[in-house]
Amino acid sequence: NFFLPIMIGARDLAFPKINLLSWYLLIAGGAFAIFAMVAGGVDTGWTFYTPYSTTYSNTYVIATALGIFVAGFSSILTGLNFIVTVHRMRAPGMTWFRMPLFVWANYATGLIQVLGTPVIAVTLVLVFCERVFHIGIFDPALGGDPVLFQHLFWFYSHPAVYIMVLPAMGVISELVSTFARKPVFGYPFVAFSSVAIAVIGFLVWGHHLFVSGQSLYAGLVFSFLSYFVAIPSAIKVFNWTATLYKGSISFATPMLYAFGFIGLFTIGGLTGLFVAALGIDVHVTDTYFVIAHFHYVMVGGTVMAYLGGVHYWWPKMTGRMYPEGWAKLSALLVFVGFNLTFFPQFILGYLGMPRRYHAYPPEFQVLHVASTLGATVLAVGYVVPAIYLFWSLRYGAVAGANPWGASGLEWQTSSPPPTHNFEEIPVVTREAYDYTTVSR
């Protein structure tokens, strides 16, 4: 919301009132979910698998589902706003291939939000109808199919992973280019790989159902497609690495998070190939191996990127710099704490430790204790930035308009920018990530 318009030279998103409506819907959906939690919670897990969620659970399934349903409209409206803004609000001279890769990533994310979120909304309506009216959509006793729910659920919920990770990938493209002082290698390939992830991401949901009873042939197809979706992600990692090659690299805090992302996301992606293989997945399904894989993508990858983005754009948003020493320390704590938390879980899962179990054999004690210790270090790594970022709002050094010497349009206005981003709409005459006329 803050940076997509300013990075393409627009004063605001295309539909400011719809944008505000999406915020109110998010708050309303969250209120329903919080009510459900305070009133007694929901015991179905976040997946709401049938028939437990539709027939047997006595907890607040409907209230929680209603919260998700309402919040989903917030997601749809935001995705629509991003798509229209990118199509219609670009500054003069801002062609598609002059756009920052962060904008490409959010454009692809918007496509997933608009096309995928209605599916989970309809699915939750069917859960409501099944639970209240017992009409037999998912109940096998009434001729329904509980696996149908899993297909509908994962058709959205696997692309939802890309809703979270695609913007993070866009952040990394900005960080790598700025702190290597080079244009992103293979810019068109990185841009189109975001769109490819969005499109192919809709075709791989069945790898969540390898042991659910779907046909062997469907499993083979989804296994192949799951390997295929790794290709555009691999293109990004390769091109970021090639961008770093012979670059004038600065080890500022945002770049440390970018390095962490590239390494940890690579591990998460490669272990995704393990669980995409039918034979291995049967062994590691519902074990800590899946927990570790998921968190290497979503925490080691996505959260690291978001922390990098917060540190990168903090001076632009607030007009203040943060203490660099503390920031680098927190980046180190997050990296070490994360790996100590989740790498042992790869071993635990391969050895057969199921997830969602509170008890474990004594031979797993060392790895569980190591994981707990890592979680403690990781928590400290998250708390430290919360302290010094708030501190910087009052006591941080005043930031200039472009403290990093970056090339994007957002750095050509004041820090923080005026309400409408630019006093005059800029005219773009340079290619993306052109540092030839940018001074540090």
Side-chain angles (χ1 to χ4, degrees):
N1 270 266
F2 193 105
F3 282 106
L4 186 140
I6 198 172
M7 292 175 83
I8 61 173
R11 296 196 186 279
D12 201 344
L13 289 174
F15 305 116
K17 291 184 179 179
I18 290 179
N19 197 32
L20 183 61
L21 173 62
S22 72
W23 185 83
Y24 281 119
L25 289 171
L26 178 66
I27 298 303
F32 280 112
I34 290 173
F35 161 76
M37 180 177 69
V38 173
V42 60
D43 65 352
T44 62
W46 71 281
T47 55
F48 287 82
Y49 273 4
T50 57
Y52 188 65
S53 64
T54 52
T55 304
Y56 300 106
S57 177
N58 294 317
T59 56
Y60 288 84
V61 173
I62 292 178
T64 310
L66 182 60
I68 298 167
F69 182 82
V70 173
F73 281 94
S74 171
S75 185
I76 293 168
L77 293 177
T78 298
L80 174 69
N81 227 337
F82 285 0
I83 292 169
V84 176
T85 301
V86 171
H87 273 277
R88 305 298 299 170
M89 304 287 285
R90 303 193 307 275
M94 175 64 78
T95 63
W96 282 90
F97 291 102
R98 285 179 174 173
M99 289 197 314
L101 290 164
F102 180 77
V103 177
W104 273 101
N106 278 281
Y107 178 78
T109 304
L111 295 175
I112 302 175
Q113 289 173 287
V114 169
L115 297 174
T117 313
V119 176
I120 196 66
V122 170
T123 305
L124 291 172
V125 170
L126 294 177
V127 168
F128 171 84
C129 293
E130 180 84 338
R131 188 172 173 86
V132 175
F133 303 113
H134 308 290
I135 56 180
I137 302 167
F138 305 122
D139 186 352
L142 300 173
D145 183 1
V147 178
L148 172 62
F149 173 86
Q150 295 188 34
H151 280 287
L152 293 170
F153 176 87
W154 288 112
F155 182 80
Y156 165 78
S157 295
H158 190 84
V161 172
Y162 301 124
I163 290 176
M164 291 179 270
V165 82
L166 272 170
M169 290 172 163
V171 170
I172 297 304
S173 294
E174 303 301 315
L175 302 186
V176 166
S177 176
T178 297
F179 295 102
R181 312 300 297 167
K182 284 177 62 182
V184 174
F185 178 83
Y187 169 100
F189 291 93
V190 180
F192 282 127
S193 68
S194 293
V195 179
I197 288 172
V199 173
I200 303 170
F202 278 110
L203 306 177
V204 301
W205 79 89
H207 66 220
H208 293 275
L209 285 77
F210 280 162
V211 297
S212 70
Q214 72 175 1
S215 75
L216 176 62
Y217 298 107
L220 288 171
V221 171
F222 284 120
S223 179
F224 171 80
L225 291 170
S226 299
Y227 274 83
F228 191 60
V229 78
I231 295 173
S233 297
I235 288 172
K236 289 183 183 292
V237 172
F238 172 82
N239 286 28
W240 292 327
T241 307
T243 304
L244 295 172
Y245 180 64
K246 292 189 176 180
S248 178
I249 296 174
S250 167
F251 292 95
T253 301
M255 190 59 161
L256 297 182
Y257 281 111
F259 280 130
F261 174 97
I262 293 172
L264 299 178
F265 177 79
T266 300
I267 294 174
L270 289 174
T271 52
L273 300 180
F274 284 48
V275 293
L278 282 165
I280 299 176
D281 186 76
V282 169
H283 172 58
V284 299
T285 287
D286 275 338
T287 71
Y288 266 53
F289 190 95
V290 177
I291 299 282
H293 153 68
F294 180 79
H295 284 81
Y296 264 82
V297 173
M298 293 307 303
V299 179
T302 302
V303 175
M304 291 282 279
Y306 287 153
L307 285 170
V310 165
H311 286 80
Y312 178 59
W313 281 306
W314 187 259
K316 176 55 60 178
M317 291 187 288
T318 66
R320 298 279 183 169
M321 298 298 292
Y322 46 80
E324 186 70 13
W326 281 104
K328 289 182 175 179
L329 174 62
S330 69
L332 179 64
L333 288 172
V334 169
F335 182 81
V336 172
F338 172 82
N339 280 287
L340 188 55
T341 302
F342 291 105
F343 195 84
Q345 295 182 14
F346 281 125
I347 304 170
L348 283 166
Y350 191 78
L351 293 176
M353 177 68 208
R355 61 179 174 175
R356 306 188 180 113
Y357 277 51
H358 75 281
Y360 52 85
E363 59 265 30
F364 292 164
Q365 174 80 1
V366 172
L367 293 170
H368 276 281
V369 170
S371 192
T372 303
L373 173 62
T376 306
V377 175
L378 185 61
V380 174
Y382 287 151
V383 169
V384 171
I387 295 172
Y388 66 68
L389 288 175
F390 278 109
W391 175 90
S392 73
L393 292 174
R394 182 161 192 160
Y395 302 105
V398 176
N402 191 2
W404 310 120
S407 65
L409 289 182
E410 74 269 32
W411 304 103
Q412 296 179 23
T413 186
S414 60
S415 297
T419 303
H420 296 292
N421 292 341
F422 301 96
E423 299 301 337
E424 295 183 7
I425 296 296
V427 176
V428 179
T429 58
R430 299 182 302 161
E431 300 303 312
Y433 308 110
D434 179 5
Y435 291 95
T436 55
T437 60
V438 178
S439 59
R440 232 172 174 164

